[in-house]
Amino acid sequence: MIDKETLFEKTQSLLEYPQIMENVASHAVSEEAASLLKEAKPIYNAREAEETKEKVIALHTLIKSCNDEPRSWLPSIGFLFPKIETSGAVLDLDEVLAIGLFIERACELRNWVIKERAGSEESETEGRDALFAILGFFGSTEDGSFPDCVPAAAEIFRVIDREGKLRDIPALRAIRKRIGSLERELKSAVSKYAANDEYKRMLQSPLPSQRDGRTVLAVKANFRGRIRGIVHEVSSSGQTIFVEPLDVVEKNNEILLEKRNLDAEIQKILRELTEKISAFAGSIKQFHQTIIELECLRARAVYSAVTKGHFAKSGGEIESLILKHARHPMLKKAVPINIEMKNSTRTLIITGPNTGGKTVALKTLGLFAMMNQSALALPLDEGSAMPCFDGIYADIGDEQSINQSLSTFSAHITNISAITANATENSLVLLDELGSGTDPEEGGAIAMAVLDFLIEKKSRMIITTHHGILKNYGYTREGVENASVEFNAHTLSPTYRIINGVPGESRALDIAAANGLDAGIVEKARKYIDDEKSDISALITGLEQKHRELAGIEQKSAIEQNKLKEEKRKADLKELQLRQKEAEIKRGSLDSLQVFLRESRKTLENLVRELKEGEVDREKTLKVKGFLNDLARYAENERDVLDEEERAIREQFMKNETNAPPPAAGFAAGMEVFAGQSKQRGVIVRAGKKSAKGDSWIVKIGSLKMSFPEKDLIPASPVKTTVSPSWAAEYGASGDAVFELKLLGMRLEEATESLRRQIEAASLSGLKTFSGIHGKGSGILQKGIHDYLKKDPAVEDYYFSRPELGGFGRTEVVLR
C-alpha cells in the first residue's frame, strides 16, 4: 500500500502544486528562500496554516500600501556557517563580501517592515501583530528582541569595499609601494633589450612575457645562448625560447618575495576579520534564519499581489466550502466556476458530459485548497471560504502502468485504498470517475461502498462519475448532494457552469454525433438505450425543468423585492423631509422666543425700576397690565402660527403617506388614523371629551388606548399586505440619513464607507447639515475623515463642533 507521504506527493503532482510554488519562488530575492519555496508543502496543521496566512496578509498589505519596498538581491551565506564556526578557518574575500552584503541588505528589509508598521493605522497594526511578534520586530534592537548584526557588517566594510576589493590599509600600502618600485626597475631592465638593435633582432617580440609569475624574453631559437639567462620554456614549434636574463633574475626574485609578503599580510587581515565575524556567528545565524523565513513569506505576498487574487476566509469557524468565480491559475483562458458546499453537505457528486469541466473543477478545488494552506491568495472573487484540511487526497486521471502490470482499474483501486486508509473527518477527498474502468454494475457497487465508508468517516468529498446509480445515491443519503456541469443542447457544447441539486446526463450520443461518428451507428445506439432505458433520464430532465422554473420565480421575486425596496426608500425620504421641516419650525420658534424674551426682559426691568423709584399709581399699574396683556397676545399669535404650520405638515404627510383625502363626514369609530406628533398608526375606538380646544377621540395604538385632539389625527388608508414578513424585515434595515453619525470604534475604512452612505442619503433627502462623532484618540480616525470630506464634491464645508458639543471629537458637515 502507498504510504501517506507518497500519497501526498502524488496528489501535489496531480494538482500541479509544484508549478505554483515554482512561480512563487521566482518572486524571492534570495536563492536560499527560492530553494525552500520550491520544496515547500501545504501546511496541514490548522493553527500553523492560519498563523502563516496572517503574516502573509500583513506583508501583502504593506506591499500594496507603499512604493519603497527593498528588492536588493540577498547573497547565499547559509553554507558558510560551518566555516565561520570552525576555529582557525579563514574566509576569502568573496565570502566576506557575501556576509557583509547580506547583513546590510537584510537590515534594509527589516527597517522597511518596522517603518511601515510604525506608520500604519492602529487597526492595521493590530492585524500585523502576529508577523512582528514572531519575527521579533517589536521594539528596538537594543532590547535584544532582534539580533543586531550591524557591527559585523561595519567590521567587514572597514576592510573591504562593496565591490569586494581590499581597502588601502597602511600595512598593505607599504608593500604595494615597494612592489610598484621594483616593477618599474624590472621594466627598465627589460626594455633595454628591445631598445638595443643588436638584441632586438634576436627577439621574436619586443614585448616581455610572463612565465610562472616571472618576466621573460621571447628569444629566437637560433640565437640561443646569445642572451645569457635561465630558460623557462620552449614553444611547441621549437622556434621560440623563453629566457629570463641574468640581470633580471634578481628583480623577479625581489618582486616575488614582496608579493608573497602581500599575500601573507592579506591572509593575516582576513584571519583577523574572520575571527571578528565568528564572534557574531550566533547572531548572524539567527538573523539569517529569520530573514530567509521573512523572504519566503514576502515572496508569497508578492505573488499574491502580482496575481491580484483574494485570500479565502478560513479558520476554525469556517466549515462551508465556497468558491466564487474560481479560475485555475495554470490555464491561460480559464472559465470561472462556482462551487458551494455548506457545512451540512459533506459529499458532492458531479455528473454530466465529457469535456464538461468536471475534472477541471476537481483540480481547481484541490489546488486552491493546497494554495490556501500555503498562505497564497487565490484567483477568485471575494466572499469565498475554504476550511483547513489535515490532508488533501486525489485520484484523478489514468495511471495505467505496463511496467508495474497495473490496469486502469487497478491503478485507481491502489490509490483509493491508500486514501480510505488515511482520510479523516477533516480531510478533503477528490475522486475522478469513481467506479470506472471495470464492469459498470460492479464498479457502481464499489463506488457506493467507498462512499459509504468515507461518509461514515465524515470526510469532505467531491467525486465525478457517469454511473446513473450514483445519481440516485445522491438523493438517498443525508449530507450528499448531486450537482451537474451544464450542457447547451442546442450548440452541443458545455457551459462549464456547475448546478447544485441537479444531476447531469452524460450526453455521450450527442457528443459522439457532433464529433463525426456515423449517424447510423448513433441512431442504433439510441434504439438500444430506448429498449432498456430506465426513468433516470426522464427524472433528470424533469428536475432540470423544475430548476429553470424555480430560477425564473426567484428572478421575478428579486424584481418585486427591488420595487418594494424603492417604494420604501421613497416613503422614508418623505418622512425624513417632514421630520426636518418639523425641526426647522421648532428651531425658528425657539429663536423667535429667545428674541422676544430678551426684549420683554428689558421692558420688565424698566417697569420694575420705575416702580422702585416712585410710588405706585394708576398709570404705572395700567402700564404693567398692558405689558402682561401684550405677552398674552404674543403667545396667542405664536400658537396660531404653530397651529397653521402643523396643519400644513399634516396635509403634506397625508398627501405623501396616504392616498385617502380628509373624510367629508369627519372622524368615526373604527377609522384608521395617524395619531399625535409621531404619526403612529391606530384605530379610533370612540369619541372623547370635548374641551375648549375642540373635539377629542380615543385611539387604540397597539395594546394602548390614548386620547388625542381631533387636530392631531390624520386619516390613514387601510394596510395592504403584499410582502411576506421575512421580506418586510429585510426592507426595514434601510440606510436612512441621520442628524448625528456615530463613527466611534470603527476602522478607518468602515468609517469612510459609513460617511459615504450618510452623504448620499442626506443629499437625496435634502438634509444639508449633520455631525459625525469620531472621538479624539490618536487622531488617525479624525484625520482620515477630514481627508475624505476634503475630497468629496458634495461637501460644502466642515469644521469642529463647539467645545460644549464635543469640540475636536466631533465634526460638523455642511453639504452643497
Side-chain angles (χ1 to χ4, degrees):
M1 182 180 289
I2 303 172
D3 62 84
K4 189 173 184 177
E5 289 303 318
T6 303
L7 189 59
F8 278 159
E9 290 177 4
K10 286 186 68 175
T11 301
Q12 289 162 20
S13 178
L14 279 172
L15 300 177
E16 300 178 279
Y17 176 77
Q19 288 91 318
I20 295 294
M21 295 312 294
E22 285 274 354
N23 292 340
V24 175
S26 68
H27 295 286
V29 295
S30 161
E31 287 184 3
E32 293 170 306
S35 297
L36 290 175
L37 287 168
K38 291 175 183 178
E39 297 171 2
K41 303 292 187 289
I43 304 169
Y44 292 113
N45 179 284
R47 171 178 282 186
E48 184 182 350
E50 278 306 297
E51 288 177 351
T52 304
K53 192 172 179 180
E54 286 176 7
K55 300 177 202 174
V56 173
I57 291 174
L59 282 170
H60 180 263
T61 304
L62 288 181
I63 291 169
K64 291 183 69 177
S65 62
C66 68
N67 298 318
D68 58 346
E69 178 197 3
R71 298 292 296 172
S72 300
W73 184 256
L74 296 174
S76 299
I77 64 170
F79 68 96
L80 295 175
F81 289 121
K83 192 171 183 179
I84 295 173
E85 293 170 343
T86 302
S87 178
V90 179
L91 297 169
D92 60 31
L93 282 173
D94 290 339
E95 293 168 343
V96 170
L97 177 64
I99 294 172
L101 290 177
F102 181 89
I103 294 173
E104 196 173 64
R105 293 171 181 176
C107 284
E108 290 178 5
L109 176 59
R110 180 200 64 182
N111 295 337
W112 169 75
V113 175
I114 294 174
K115 181 192 73 173
E116 291 300 325
R117 175 180 181 270
S120 64
E121 297 288 347
E122 182 178 351
S123 57
E124 295 176 357
T125 302
E126 293 173 359
R128 300 170 189 166
D129 283 353
L131 171 67
F132 301 113
I134 292 171
L135 296 183
F137 285 152
F138 279 116
S140 64
T141 57
E142 296 175 359
D143 63 3
S145 63
F146 199 85
D148 185 9
C149 301
V150 174
E155 288 290 344
I156 291 171
F157 291 117
R158 187 180 61 80
V159 176
I160 65 173
D161 59 23
R162 282 164 181 76
E163 294 181 356
K165 297 178 181 178
L166 285 166
R167 295 188 182 276
D168 192 18
I169 301 171
L172 299 178
R173 189 186 307 130
I175 298 175
R176 287 170 175 163
K177 186 176 181 181
R178 289 197 297 273
I179 291 174
S181 176
L182 290 171
E183 286 178 341
R184 286 192 295 275
E185 293 177 6
L186 176 63
K187 184 178 180 181
S188 175
V190 172
S191 62
K192 70 179 183 181
Y193 288 94
N196 187 298
D197 292 337
E198 179 64 24
Y199 287 121
K200 188 175 182 179
R201 64 187 184 85
M202 302 177 186
L203 302 177
Q204 290 282 19
S205 170
L207 299 176
S209 299
Q210 291 285 325
R211 290 294 182 273
D212 298 326
R214 303 180 73 88
T215 301
V216 296
L217 297 174
V219 180
K220 295 177 181 178
N222 56 333
F223 291 105
R224 178 181 177 183
R226 299 289 296 272
I227 298 177
R228 301 188 62 190
I230 300 171
V231 177
H232 283 265
E233 190 177 321
V234 179
S235 67
S236 57
S237 63
Q239 298 298 313
T240 305
I241 300 172
F242 295 94
V243 178
E244 180 183 6
L246 292 178
D247 58 343
V248 174
V249 171
E250 188 60 29
K251 296 294 182 184
N252 273 330
N253 289 342
E254 291 179 8
I255 290 173
L256 186 61
L257 288 173
E258 288 299 330
K259 286 184 177 180
R260 292 289 184 270
N261 290 338
L262 180 63
D263 291 340
E265 188 63 32
I266 291 173
Q267 281 297 106
K268 177 183 176 183
I269 292 170
L270 290 176
R271 185 179 297 106
E272 292 174 353
L273 183 57
T274 303
E275 290 175 357
K276 291 179 180 178
I277 294 172
S278 298
F280 293 93
S283 296
I284 296 174
K285 195 171 185 179
Q286 182 186 351
F287 184 69
H288 170 265
Q289 180 180 350
T290 304
I291 291 298
I292 294 301
E293 178 186 352
L294 175 60
E295 184 53 32
C296 288
L297 296 173
R298 185 171 68 153
R300 288 174 161 93
V302 172
Y303 170 85
S304 300
V306 169
T307 56
K308 299 179 180 178
H310 294 95
F311 291 94
K313 296 178 182 177
S314 57
E317 300 295 325
I318 303 297
E319 290 293 337
S320 297
L321 193 159
I322 302 171
L323 300 185
K324 294 184 177 181
H325 289 85
R327 303 169 293 280
H328 197 290
M330 301 301 293
L331 298 177
K332 292 183 178 179
K333 295 183 178 179
V335 178
I337 62 172
N338 296 315
I339 299 176
E340 181 173 351
M341 291 180 69
K342 295 183 178 178
N343 188 31
S344 58
T345 303
R346 306 295 294 178
T347 302
L348 190 66
I349 301 175
I350 304 177
T351 51
N354 291 316
T355 72
K358 300 189 300 295
T359 303
V360 172
L362 278 188
K363 287 189 171 184
T364 301
L365 174 59
L367 180 59
F368 277 25
M370 289 186 172
M371 291 173 66
N372 180 59
Q373 291 180 218
S374 299
L376 297 175
L378 311 177
L380 41 63
D381 288 355
E382 288 183 305
S384 301
M386 181 78 72
C388 282
F389 301 104
D390 63 6
I392 301 169
Y393 307 99
D395 176 51
I396 300 174
D398 184 2
E399 293 188 32
Q400 178 174 276
S401 172
I402 296 176
N403 293 335
Q404 298 179 19
S405 301
L406 286 177
S407 66
T408 299
F409 178 72
S410 298
H412 282 304
I413 291 300
T414 300
N415 291 335
I416 292 171
S417 298
I419 291 171
T420 54
N422 291 286
T424 69
E425 179 181 356
N426 296 317
S427 298
L428 176 64
V429 177
L430 308 171
L431 302 176
D432 188 29
E433 303 294 354
L434 181 60
S436 63
T438 187
D439 176 75
E441 185 175 352
E442 294 183 356
I446 291 174
M448 288 190 292
V450 169
L451 290 178
D452 286 341
F453 181 83
L454 292 173
I455 288 172
E456 187 175 345
K457 279 192 168 188
K458 298 182 179 179
S459 299
R460 180 88 64 163
M461 284 185 290
I462 299 184
I463 73 163
T464 67
T465 184
H466 286 285
H467 285 298
I469 194 171
L470 290 183
K471 302 173 186 177
N472 186 55
Y473 179 95
Y475 286 114
T476 59
R477 293 294 189 279
E478 185 178 355
V480 181
E481 185 177 10
N482 278 314
S484 59
V485 285
E486 193 176 46
F487 187 82
N488 190 321
H490 299 290
T491 62
L492 296 180
S493 61
T495 65
Y496 303 103
R497 177 169 168 253
I498 296 177
I499 304 174
N500 282 51
V502 180
E505 293 187 277
S506 295
R507 300 277 185 176
L509 297 181
D510 293 332
I511 295 173
N515 283 278
L517 186 63
D518 185 270
I521 297 175
V522 174
E523 186 60 32
K524 195 161 189 178
R526 291 189 191 280
K527 288 182 180 179
Y528 278 124
I529 291 176
D530 291 338
D531 291 341
E532 300 179 1
K533 188 175 183 181
S534 66
D535 294 333
I536 293 178
S537 292
L539 172 64
I540 291 171
T541 303
L543 286 171
E544 290 177 342
Q545 179 62 30
K546 291 292 183 183
H547 190 275
R548 286 191 290 270
E549 291 175 0
L550 180 60
I553 293 171
E554 288 178 349
Q555 185 176 5
K556 290 180 181 177
S557 175
I559 293 172
E560 290 298 324
Q561 287 184 32
N562 290 334
K563 288 181 180 178
L564 289 169
K565 285 180 179 178
E566 181 62 20
E567 291 175 2
K568 179 67 167 60
R569 185 186 68 80
K570 290 178 179 178
D572 289 340
L573 289 179
K574 292 294 183 183
E575 181 183 356
L576 186 61
Q577 289 171 354
L578 288 174
R579 286 166 56 193
Q580 184 181 0
K581 180 67 174 176
E582 183 180 359
E584 290 174 356
I585 291 173
K586 288 180 179 180
R587 185 181 297 276
S589 299
L590 181 61
D591 292 342
S592 299
L593 183 59
Q594 287 175 342
V595 172
F596 176 71
L597 286 175
R598 283 196 299 270
E599 295 298 326
S600 299
R601 181 179 296 161
K602 291 178 182 179
T603 305
L604 185 59
E605 286 174 354
N606 291 333
L607 288 173
V608 171
R609 186 168 57 253
E610 289 177 6
L611 290 173
K612 286 182 179 181
E613 290 176 353
E615 296 181 359
V616 178
D617 54 18
R618 175 178 174 78
E619 183 182 352
K620 292 180 179 178
T621 303
L622 291 175
K623 202 172 185 179
V624 171
K625 288 182 178 180
F627 171 72
L628 295 175
N629 289 332
D630 289 342
L631 283 178
R633 282 194 297 274
Y634 178 82
E636 191 64 31
N637 290 336
E638 289 298 313
R639 183 189 300 277
D640 293 340
V641 171
L642 184 59
D643 287 344
E644 180 62 25
E645 290 290 345
E646 287 180 348
R647 185 189 63 76
I649 290 174
R650 286 198 302 274
E651 289 179 358
Q652 181 68 21
F653 182 86
M654 187 164 54
K655 179 181 178 182
N656 292 323
E657 296 293 346
T658 69
N659 295 320
F667 294 96
M671 180 182 291
E672 293 189 15
V673 293
F674 293 108
Q677 293 184 353
S678 59
K679 300 298 179 286
Q680 292 179 291
R681 179 182 286 272
V683 180
I684 295 178
V685 178
R686 55 184 170 80
K689 296 180 180 179
K690 291 188 177 182
S691 65
K693 296 181 180 179
D695 294 340
S696 65
W697 296 88
I698 305 299
V699 180
K700 184 178 181 181
I701 300 174
S703 60
L704 298 177
K705 294 180 181 178
M706 293 180 284
S707 177
F708 293 96
E710 187 173 291
K711 66 182 182 63
D712 289 343
L713 300 180
I714 300 175
S717 298
V719 177
K720 295 180 180 180
T721 304
T722 57
V723 295
S724 67
S726 61
W727 292 354
E730 178 185 348
Y731 301 147
S734 61
D736 292 342
V738 294
F739 292 105
E740 188 176 81
L741 181 64
K742 295 182 179 179
L743 305 172
L744 288 170
M746 293 186 182
R747 296 173 179 265
L748 181 57
E749 292 83 356
E750 296 171 343
T752 53
E753 177 60 21
S754 296
L755 189 58
R756 181 189 66 77
R757 293 198 298 267
Q758 165 71 5
I759 292 173
E760 288 180 357
S763 299
L764 290 171
S765 63
L767 182 63
K768 294 298 183 183
T769 62
F770 66 88
S771 60
I773 301 176
H774 45 70
K776 298 177 183 178
S778 61
I780 294 173
L781 185 59
Q782 176 197 93
K783 182 179 182 300
I785 289 171
H786 280 209
D787 289 343
Y788 181 85
L789 292 172
K790 186 187 299 181
K791 298 175 184 177
D792 196 307
V795 176
E796 175 74 25
D797 192 14
Y798 61 91
Y799 49 85
F800 289 120
S801 299
R802 297 196 304 274
E804 63 270 18
L805 295 178
F808 295 117
R810 173 180 172 136
T811 296
E812 303 294 336
V813 182
V814 181
L815 302 182
R816 296 183 186 278

